[in-house]
Amino acid sequence: MSISPLDEELQDLAEEIVASHKKAVVEWAVAHQELSMIVDIKAFTDIVRSLRDEAQFHFKQLIDVTAVDWPGREGARFDVVYHFLSLKHNQRLRLKLRVDEDELV
């Protein structure tokens, strides 16, 4: 099975973000032509600022913020999910934070 050009583009984007924020990205995946990344909550502000301000990213629009409750999961019970859009590059990005019940976002 071949990888679509969009998937390759999103993989390249993920690798650029990881290179810029080595310790902040916990994991990432491209599936169904979408890039999802789990990031460390402590580095979230720096990553979002970089995604907004740096020309190679240019994610200027926050589309949505939501959360998912995983009551049976060990450790962090919630995922806080942010969806970003780069109109300049026509790309979407999903960032997830794993958050425990007593953590503030």
Side-chain angles (χ1 to χ4, degrees):
M1 185 166 92
S2 66
I3 297 174
S4 75
L6 179 57
D7 284 349
E8 284 184 24
E9 191 176 304
L10 292 173
Q11 287 178 355
D12 292 344
L13 172 63
E15 291 167 3
E16 281 187 70
I17 294 170
V18 169
S20 297
H21 303 281
K22 289 179 175 57
K23 296 180 181 177
V25 178
V26 176
E27 68 182 69
W28 65 270
V30 174
H32 308 289
Q33 298 185 330
E34 295 179 354
L35 172 58
S36 295
M37 303 186 104
I38 299 172
V39 298
D40 185 313
I41 192 169
K42 295 176 194 113
F44 181 71
T45 303
D46 291 336
I47 289 175
V48 170
R49 188 174 291 121
S50 169
L51 291 171
R52 180 193 67 192
D53 295 343
E54 294 180 25
Q56 74 266 29
F57 305 131
H58 217 262
F59 285 91
K60 298 281 188 178
Q61 189 169 7
L62 174 63
I63 298 171
D64 187 32
V65 179
T66 190
V68 180
D69 184 2
W70 300 96
R73 183 167 70 185
E74 294 291 320
R77 176 176 171 172
F78 301 96
D79 286 342
V80 179
V81 185
Y82 297 82
H83 294 102
F84 294 95
L85 173 65
S86 171
L87 290 170
K88 180 178 180 181
H89 301 293
N90 192 27
Q91 294 174 322
R92 294 175 186 266
L93 171 63
R94 176 183 302 115
L95 290 185
K96 296 180 185 181
L97 301 176
R98 292 196 170 151
V99 182
D100 208 358
E101 292 180 28
D102 59 350
E103 286 183 282
L104 295 176
V105 178

